[in-house]
Amino acid sequence: MGVRLGRLKLANPVLVASGTFGYIRELAAYVPLDRLGGLIPKTITPRPRAGNPTPRTVETPCGLLNAIGLDNDGIDHFIAHHLPYLRTIRTAVIANIAGEDEDQFVAMAERLSAEPGLAALELNISCPNVTHGLDLGVDPTIVRRLVGRVRRASDLPIIAKLTPNVTDVTVIAAAAAEGGADAVSLVNTFKGMAVDWRRRRPILANDIGGLSGPAIKPLALRMVWEVQRALPNLPIIGIGGIWTADDAMEFLVAGASAIQVGTATFADPGAAGRLLEQLPAKIAELHVSRVSDLVGTLRSNREPDPVPPSVEPSRRIS
Amino acid sequence: MAQDTYRIRLEAPGLAARIRPGQFVMVRPTLGLDPLLGRPFALYEVVRGEGGEPWAIDLAYLVMGRGTARLAGARSGDRLPLWGPLGNGFGLPRAGVRRVAMVAGGIGQTPFVALARWWMGQERYGLGPQPGEPWVEAVRLYYGVRTAGYLAGLEDFEAAGVEVRLATNDGSAGYRGYVTELLERDLESGWRPDHLVGCGPEPMLRALQGVAGRLGLSCDLSLENHMACGFGACFSCVAPIRAEDGTVDLKRVCVEGPVFDAARVEWESGEAARGL
């Protein structure tokens, strides 16, 4: 079940998405943490952030709209309080970081690289609920430069978490690859809103938020597939409405080398563990032994079937 | 139980053995994807088998939206995802507390049947220490609803020996007006509890906080902030809470509450409260 994303090696392809798993300890009672392929705590920023006023979340059909606003206690608190706990978990821990500008990303990457116990950095250049995050992630020039600078500042593998709120995600993914990203996470949430027409107000205090959950799975799958087709050598971590092992298989064949379970955890705290348990049997159905043998094997309906393998017993030729 | 108000019994022996009054569970009303999220419900009562072993929990709820409407349609034998016990719950009664006023608005009475029975020594809850002698001697429930049709569970309070004082907005039962006004009138006429607890809509909790502050009474409030996960991962349910050193920080109601000392609860949320 082991997978490789650039320089990052994981024991299996099942990770949990930043912002949906707290600081990991909150889920210790529900999921066998050290069995997961990787753990990504909630986004950290250079300074403490209070986040947005409430209501911060609202349920929508098969989905969740959120505008938490990167509520967190900052990198100092993360290093002092959360990292010691995270180091005790025997699996890959990937810190998710967000700065307001490139310099802040670089400074955070330098500090975290000096700390033992992290497997990689995931750059949140895609949060729709803060002023600067989205601005960075929609501009390929900035993404290329930002990823490049972080890559030079850190020895850790770099994952760029991309926003789907762009016309062509392959352009942004290509920029991340050119900057030296080991992988891209596809996708963060889709900008959306929920309306209370009687009050004539948006329901979220922040007016708009990011949509996640099963509602976005088809959108995320399409984007993973597009990026895999455009950039076959760029490892992808698929995210978007993944709840079951079947969902995970869809993302793997569409081009993701690994997946993140996100909103499903809110609705089913044991979801990631159950998915992991059920995944080997699904992989076995495709008669492959390694996950990498099925990644990106999805074929367009406009392409012919591959030549079926011979069913005859092999004959000795000489 | 009453207008739009239902009681559901969920078989969950492990949970029933551990849960304490004021704690809650998240229940997803369907195995499907819509509605997506669980809903938080306070413990109403633990149900014991013939041998006295806890085997189920009862929840009482008001149908307010798609989730609770779906739950009301659940049938005996259905399997529903649930997780808990969640939250801090109420603690043991503070030393010296003999008379308690429990103040409830809307569906906020639901944690108080179990709490009254626990503090009066009629029932044990959870695995931790239980209240020692002497027990709380008297509990009064101050219970306010819009109109009499919503009054739910009065017989359960009466069976526990709780004196019930009612208020309705339309005067259809008890005092006409807010339940906190009724409490203040009783306090003025000389009845004096040692401790207050409150659960209900924010305006009622704010009023109760004011009463407690004016009279110097200790008071615990159970907050009902909107939640998505119930276990501290989503950061939806934050409330500004004042620490001992006077600083205000956003606390997750689901894991650091839902019960807070009223003297610590602030009401303005967001950046302003935290001074960032």
Side-chain angles (χ1 to χ4, degrees):
Chain A
M1 288 264 278
V3 294
R4 192 181 176 120
L5 302 105
R7 295 172 293 166
L8 175 63
K9 286 182 193 165
L10 302 174
N12 66 67
V14 180
L15 299 92
V16 291
S18 181
T20 63
F21 221 74
Y23 296 102
I24 311 303
R25 66 179 92 219
E26 292 88 346
L27 273 297
Y30 300 94
V31 176
L33 298 175
D34 50 9
R35 300 253 306 277
L36 293 176
L39 301 166
I40 312 181
K42 187 166 166 54
T43 296
I44 48 178
T45 55
R47 296 191 60 246
R49 284 179 56 90
N52 292 322
T54 57
R56 292 174 163 189
T57 54
V58 57
E59 187 180 273
T60 58
C62 297
L64 175 70
L65 201 55
N66 91 81
I68 307 295
L70 301 184
D71 175 343
N72 82 107
D73 289 324
I75 190 169
D76 293 341
H77 183 78
F78 178 80
I79 289 172
H81 182 67
H82 295 302
L83 202 46
Y85 168 76
L86 295 169
R87 287 189 188 112
T88 67
I89 307 169
R90 287 168 302 170
T91 189
V93 174
I94 300 170
N96 180 294
I97 61 173
E100 291 179 7
D101 56 36
E102 295 173 40
D103 290 344
Q104 288 190 354
F105 273 99
V106 170
M108 293 181 82
E110 282 173 349
R111 279 200 66 189
L112 291 172
S113 302
E115 293 290 334
L118 291 174
L121 298 176
E122 185 178 60
L123 312 182
N124 182 359
I125 51 175
S126 46
C127 180
N129 299 320
V130 296
T131 315
H132 298 283
L134 200 55
D135 306 341
L136 297 174
V138 299
D139 183 330
T141 307
I142 295 174
V143 169
R144 187 182 303 110
R145 193 171 62 221
L146 170 62
V147 172
R149 287 186 61 190
V150 171
R151 171 94 198 227
R152 285 189 293 279
S154 173
D155 294 331
L156 293 171
I158 306 299
I159 303 161
K161 185 168 180 177
L162 304 186
T163 175
N165 299 302
V166 292
T167 305
D168 184 352
V169 75
T170 67
V171 174
I172 308 296
E178 288 159 20
D182 290 272
V184 289
S185 292
L186 294 173
V187 293
N188 207 321
T189 55
F190 289 79
K191 279 205 283 186
M193 75 189 300
V195 169
D196 180 345
W197 67 264
R198 288 191 174 85
R199 290 172 54 238
R200 288 190 265 198
R201 294 273 190 181
I203 293 172
L204 293 176
N206 190 53
D207 293 346
I208 68 152
L211 183 65
S212 63
I216 71 164
K217 193 181 82 171
L219 307 173
L221 274 171
R222 187 263 296 176
M223 291 191 166
V224 166
W225 195 48
E226 283 179 350
V227 170
Q228 197 274 335
R229 292 255 148 165
L231 303 157
N233 296 320
L234 176 64
I236 298 166
I237 304 172
I239 323 169
I242 297 173
W243 196 321
T244 65
D246 289 305
D247 297 331
M249 289 299 288
E250 293 170 18
F251 275 83
L252 293 175
V253 299
S257 296
I259 57 96
Q260 293 177 13
V261 177
T263 299
T265 294
F266 292 156
D268 177 2
R274 199 169 315 112
L275 187 159
L276 177 64
E277 213 170 89
Q278 293 168 356
L279 193 59
K282 303 287 180 184
I283 293 170
E285 280 186 46
L286 293 186
H287 307 292
V288 300
S289 53
R290 293 177 307 177
V291 174
S292 57
D293 292 337
L294 58 86
V295 171
T297 53
L298 185 71
R299 303 179 69 83
S300 162
N301 287 328
R302 289 197 288 266
E303 296 169 72
D305 277 335
V307 179
S310 168
V311 292
E312 290 174 68
S314 60
R315 280 172 299 168
R316 189 169 161 178
I317 294 169
S318 61
Chain B
M1 295 180 81
Q3 185 173 338
D4 300 334
T5 309
Y6 298 82
R7 180 170 180 165
I8 189 169
R9 181 159 296 174
L10 300 167
E11 183 177 350
L15 199 156
R18 284 181 297 150
I19 195 165
R20 289 179 285 107
Q23 290 190 302
F24 64 100
V25 297
M26 294 290 285
V27 181
R28 197 144 53 82
T30 167
L31 291 169
L33 299 178
D34 196 47
L36 184 70
L37 300 169
R39 271 65 173 157
F41 298 97
L43 170 71
Y44 189 74
E45 189 52 290
V46 166
V47 184
R48 292 178 181 273
E50 283 176 13
E53 72 293 351
W55 69 274
I57 55 168
D58 280 5
L59 310 175
Y61 62 95
L62 181 67
V63 171
M64 298 184 68
R66 294 189 311 142
T68 42
R70 182 69 75 92
L71 195 61
R75 292 176 170 196
S76 181
D78 283 357
R79 295 178 70 84
L80 298 175
L82 81 155
W83 52 99
L86 301 165
N88 59 354
F90 288 97
L92 303 172
R94 296 175 202 202
V97 169
R98 298 285 180 274
R99 286 181 304 282
V100 176
M102 300 183 174
V103 185
I107 192 68
Q109 88 286 15
T110 54
F112 291 150
V113 171
L115 183 64
R117 298 191 66 216
W118 192 38
W119 280 3
M120 289 195 288
Q122 299 171 9
E123 179 64 281
R124 297 171 63 88
Y125 295 92
L127 307 172
Q130 305 293 321
E133 300 281 359
W135 313 105
V136 166
E137 290 160 5
V139 173
R140 266 195 194 181
L141 176 73
Y142 285 83
Y143 181 15
V145 291
R146 272 176 283 167
T147 185
Y150 287 102
L151 292 166
L154 296 182
E155 63 286 359
D156 296 321
F157 285 101
E158 281 156 14
V162 173
E163 185 187 345
V164 179
R165 301 279 286 150
L166 299 177
T168 50
N169 294 7
D170 62 1
S172 53
Y175 174 80
R176 183 193 190 108
Y178 290 124
V179 69
T180 44
E181 294 167 2
L182 174 63
L183 172 67
E184 284 196 280
R185 287 165 64 112
D186 284 2
L187 291 169
E188 279 163 22
S189 65
W191 185 75
R192 190 52 59 98
D194 309 308
H195 185 64
L196 304 171
V197 295
C199 183
E202 182 176 317
M204 188 209 87
L205 296 180
R206 293 178 83 141
L208 182 61
Q209 182 188 44
V211 171
R214 283 194 294 281
L215 296 174
L217 289 170
S218 62
C219 178
D220 289 319
L221 302 179
S222 180
L223 305 187
E224 295 184 321
N225 292 28
H226 175 74
M227 292 176 188
C229 72
F231 49 84
C234 76
F235 288 72
S236 298
C237 63
V238 293
I241 303 295
R242 185 173 296 282
E244 257 174 62
D245 64 3
T247 58
V248 175
D249 199 5
L250 294 173
K251 299 292 184 191
R252 290 166 290 179
V253 168
C254 66
V255 289
E256 289 163 285
V259 179
F260 294 97
D261 182 339
R264 298 286 174 80
V265 177
E266 304 282 319
W267 303 101
E268 281 70 39
S269 71
E271 305 271 340
R274 205 167 167 188
L276 295 176

